[in-house]
Amino acid sequence: MDILKLSLAELKSALDSKKVTALEVVNLYLDRIEKHDKDIKAFLHVAADSARAEAKRYDDMRAKGEMVPPCAGIPIALKDLIVTKDMPTTCASLMLKDYYSAFDAKIVEELKEAGYIILGKLNMDQFAMGSSGETSYFQKTKNPWDLTKVPGGSSSGSAAAVAAHLVPVAIGSDTGGSIRQPAGYCGVVGLKPTYGRVSRRGAVAYSSSLDQLGPIAKTMEDAAFLMDTLSQHDELDPTSCAQVPDSFHKNLNANIKGLRLGLPKNYLTDDVDPEVKSAVLAAVEVYKNLGAEIVEIEMPHADVGISVYQMIANAEVSSNLAKFDGIEFGYRADTNDLNKIYSQTRGEALGVEVKKRIILGTYILQIDQYEEFYVRAMKIRSLIRQDYDNAFKKCDLIIGPTSSTPAFDFGGKSRTPMEMYLNDLYTVSLNLNGSCGVSIPCGFTKVGMPIGLQLQGDMYAEQTLFNAAHAYQNATDWHKREIL
Amino acid sequence: MNNRVTREALMKVSALAKIDLNEHEIAQYIDDLNAIVDYATKLQAVDVAGISPMVSPLIGQNIPLREDIVRPSLSQADVLKEASQTEAGHFRVPRTVEG
């Protein structure tokens, strides 16, 4: 039995039937982390001792015939903006180096209650701001398919760790594409659930009207399996969805005959890499063969999505990150003047990209810029939602690329920030709308880099989305390709 | 590029945001912010007459607020444990009021 190749459901049944112990599973992954993560640098913190202790506890319970939680012994790892009581939470920033939260995030509670074993915390762009993983204060995570390429971001560590089989599944966060884009770059599945589907209590906020947590997994089936644990109502998160689904995993259905897939007109522009374009068009053909109907739709405001996103996200950043001021937690600059404590602390301990976004947000919220940029952006956000509403009258899901290019070289886009931001062109609009979307592998470039296919669904349309991604993975084997 | 974000404008905003910047950052941010703001002038071409701002994806949905009841919270010790300076159960800051 090759544990690395098991689905989460298969791993659960192997554990339940005692074909393998939780300790064997945990040790397998910890050994892989020890062996490979010095090159990949996905983990910021590895909780080897607590993971082994938990595994042993579940093994003892199983040996004694005691009841164990449903997923007892399945390893997982968390993007380092999800707060944990027993492990540091750094947001990959000097500001929170060695910070320990006084409480566990709601999803940490959910995962522990379900029996998942947390192997550690994963690297990311600092405070989730970046599209390449390069803004981490601590280290640059590498793309496991080619260590000279970025893994994408901001959930860089989550995508790289799953791709390299350092953990079977991980949690990321997606504000403008930060789960889907690195998943696309690393050849794994990245799901951005509907806004409110997964509790965000204890996820350090970037842009509160856009942020959502979700899984990065080897397959859609695994992501659906994990979503059954994560889709709980949280009355302490006012955005949390009150309707709790039955089971996405049990209801997976690969029969998608008659499913209407919308292909936006003028979506695949000349800016899209030719290899990405042909992989996406080939995926459209796969769907036709599976019985889906392709309909042409229009997304008239897609091209202004980036600017709308930048205005809204950064305005929210300037407010959300005001709490990092050196007083209650985190880094404090060495000075005895109160105002200098604020400004020097923030100047010294926040990264270049983070400070830039706070300042941009502060700039557009000034009285003489507010209407022109911020309010206007929120109005166009309404138009983008109308685009989605109109599209979903004609189709069930929207199909297209996750990113316009495959993973690029380190340093490749850092010097031209607009080029870096435009990388999120295909992903940001979904966050503005608030609905669900997924990136699944749909091919490889000639030099062997993965290409991501993005499917976008309506609010709370996860089951339709999951079924379509699952059907594609049943019909193709891009997700099975091994890193040599 | 119209260089709308001047050095003065940047310094004013970084003071409002309470962030010290070094000369290298100042030069880079002037360029970057102008590029972003310039690109955002695209937004002016969109007709938004009669359109309301969308403040949240949950707009128009009936999200009931939970009941306002007192429940256990973090202890004083938990809240203070991550502060760099504390004294007598408080966050310690430099004197701000002369007495």
Side-chain angles (χ1 to χ4, degrees):
Chain A
M1 181 173 55
D2 185 350
I3 291 168
L4 299 180
K5 291 208 169 111
L6 298 181
S7 70
L8 296 183
E10 288 166 344
L11 181 55
K12 168 187 157 57
S13 66
L15 287 159
D16 282 341
S17 60
K18 298 186 198 139
K19 288 197 183 99
V20 64
T21 67
L23 190 60
E24 283 167 344
V25 175
V26 162
N27 277 334
L28 171 74
Y29 283 103
L30 289 174
D31 288 349
R32 289 188 59 82
I33 292 168
E34 194 169 328
K35 192 163 163 215
H36 300 291
D37 204 45
K38 56 184 186 303
D39 298 322
I40 293 168
K41 298 185 187 302
F43 278 83
L44 290 176
H45 177 83
V46 180
D49 293 345
S50 63
R52 285 194 182 102
E54 271 295 275
K56 225 185 147 299
R57 192 167 69 84
Y58 287 134
D59 288 338
D60 290 347
M61 286 167 75
R62 279 196 173 101
K64 285 185 211 148
E66 291 173 16
M67 278 280 286
V68 293
C71 304
I74 301 180
I76 193 166
L78 311 171
K79 185 174 183 176
D80 205 20
L81 53 61
I82 294 158
V83 301
T84 40
K85 231 170 17 183
D86 306 324
M87 299 175 205
T89 302
T90 68
C91 292
S93 178
L94 173 61
M95 181 61 87
L96 291 177
K97 189 172 176 281
D98 305 322
Y99 170 78
Y100 277 79
S101 168
F103 65 98
D104 275 336
K106 169 70 170 168
I107 74 160
V108 174
E109 290 175 5
E110 290 169 349
L111 290 168
K112 284 182 174 172
E113 203 176 304
Y116 282 91
I117 295 179
I118 300 170
L119 295 191
K121 306 293 286 286
L122 295 159
N123 197 25
M124 54 188 273
D125 275 299
Q126 192 167 151
F127 283 104
M129 299 176 197
S131 306
S132 65
E134 291 168 290
T135 73
S136 169
Y137 171 76
F138 300 103
Q139 61 198 32
K140 288 185 174 69
T141 299
K142 310 291 196 305
N143 192 311
W145 294 90
D146 178 346
L147 300 180
T148 68
K149 307 266 189 221
V150 301
S154 65
S155 306
S156 50
S158 306
V162 173
H165 299 296
L166 305 183
V167 68
V169 68
I171 304 287
S173 72
D174 192 315
T175 304
S178 282
I179 288 175
R180 289 161 286 155
Q181 184 255 26
Y185 281 7
C186 291
V188 290
V189 172
L191 169 70
K192 180 229 170 274
T194 302
Y195 186 83
R197 179 67 86 189
V198 177
S199 169
R200 302 179 303 171
R201 171 156 55 96
V204 178
Y206 164 10
S207 174
S208 302
S209 80
L210 301 165
D211 295 341
Q212 184 53 225
L213 302 177
I216 290 184
K218 288 178 290 189
T219 61
M220 184 65 247
E221 193 212 320
D222 281 359
F225 183 90
L226 178 56
M227 280 301 288
D228 283 345
T229 295
L230 302 181
S231 306
Q232 300 182 31
H233 176 61
D234 178 10
E235 65 166 352
L236 298 182
D237 174 355
T239 63
S240 173
C241 174
Q243 283 80 42
V244 175
D246 161 32
S247 165
F248 293 125
H249 185 256
K250 281 196 194 105
N251 292 316
L252 274 181
N253 180 353
N255 182 354
I256 55 160
K257 230 175 214 26
L259 182 82
R260 297 167 308 161
L261 287 180
L263 186 60
K265 218 162 109 183
N266 306 327
Y267 214 47
L268 291 165
T269 63
D270 291 343
D271 294 338
V272 179
D273 181 279
E275 288 186 288
V276 171
K277 203 170 183 170
S278 65
V280 169
L281 291 174
V284 168
E285 290 306 311
V286 171
Y287 273 111
K288 280 186 193 163
N289 291 335
L290 289 169
E293 182 194 337
I294 307 298
V295 276
E296 191 177 77
I297 56 164
E298 288 187 60
M299 300 297 279
H301 298 92
D303 62 326
V304 290
I306 288 283
S307 277
V308 171
Y309 169 80
Q310 285 189 320
M311 299 302 120
I312 291 173
N314 293 323
E316 294 183 16
V317 162
S318 72
S319 164
N320 271 332
L321 271 72
K323 60 180 163 285
F324 299 106
D325 62 2
I327 307 294
E328 294 92 351
F329 38 71
Y331 184 95
R332 185 193 280 202
D334 185 16
T335 168
N336 259 328
D337 176 89
L338 183 63
N339 263 308
K340 283 305 279 180
I341 287 182
Y342 299 142
S343 64
Q344 201 177 318
T345 293
R346 291 159 69 76
E348 287 172 3
L350 295 173
V352 171
E353 184 65 27
V354 177
K355 289 186 285 193
K356 188 205 298 179
R357 294 191 191 200
I358 295 172
I359 288 172
L360 175 65
T362 311
Y363 178 81
I364 62 157
L365 288 177
Q366 292 178 104
I367 187 82
D368 49 343
Q369 320 285 342
Y370 176 77
E371 285 286 335
E372 181 182 347
F373 290 115
Y374 182 57
V375 175
R376 178 168 276 269
M378 287 198 294
K379 288 179 180 171
I380 302 173
R381 187 177 186 181
S382 291
L383 295 173
I384 290 171
R385 164 151 291 182
Q386 282 176 21
D387 290 351
Y388 275 98
D389 288 347
N390 291 333
F392 290 131
K393 282 177 194 148
K394 288 186 178 172
C395 66
D396 303 302
L397 299 170
I398 300 168
I399 189 167
T402 304
S403 310
S404 48
T405 66
F408 45 90
D409 293 343
F410 283 96
K413 297 195 181 187
S414 313
R415 259 171 263 126
T416 50
M418 276 315 301
E419 200 190 328
M420 182 74 92
Y421 301 142
L422 285 169
N423 197 258
D424 300 335
L425 182 67
Y426 290 103
T427 48
V428 291
S429 295
L430 187 76
N431 299 78
L432 293 167
N433 187 46
S435 59
C436 56
V438 67
S439 177
I440 53 176
C442 71
F444 286 80
T445 64
K446 280 190 215 82
V447 296
M449 295 309 289
I451 297 170
L453 177 77
Q454 181 177 218
L455 298 171
Q456 303 181 66
D458 205 349
M459 296 290 283
Y460 312 114
E462 270 87 353
Q463 194 70 56
T464 307
L465 181 75
F466 295 0
N467 289 350
H470 182 56
Y472 180 83
Q473 295 201 311
N474 274 355
T476 59
D477 53 13
W478 302 114
H479 57 290
K480 291 182 186 153
R481 189 179 287 200
E482 292 292 320
I483 298 173
L484 298 173
Chain B
M1 200 183 279
N2 60 22
N3 288 328
R4 173 177 180 150
V5 184
T6 59
R7 186 184 173 98
E8 291 66 41
L10 177 69
M11 297 320 290
K12 181 187 161 201
V13 174
S14 61
L16 287 172
K18 295 207 186 296
I19 296 178
D20 287 353
L21 299 177
N22 60 39
E23 279 303 320
H24 176 76
E25 288 166 339
I26 291 168
Q28 185 190 334
Y29 288 1
I30 290 172
D31 284 353
D32 289 358
L33 263 56
N34 275 310
I36 294 165
V37 169
D38 222 42
Y39 191 81
T41 53
K42 267 187 168 187
L43 301 181
Q44 306 309 318
V46 180
D47 181 8
V48 294
I51 303 294
S52 314
M54 176 175 163
V55 294
S56 158
L58 303 179
I59 201 161
Q61 293 188 32
N62 181 25
I63 308 283
L65 292 175
R66 69 171 184 266
E67 264 191 82
D68 187 14
I69 45 171
V70 178
R71 45 179 104 214
S73 187
L74 297 174
S75 69
Q76 189 182 28
D78 277 346
V79 171
L80 290 172
K81 80 179 172 65
E82 286 292 326
S84 63
Q85 292 185 38
T86 61
E87 193 175 307
H90 295 79
F91 298 109
R92 186 181 164 88
V93 294
R95 179 185 289 270
T96 52
V97 180
E98 297 299 328

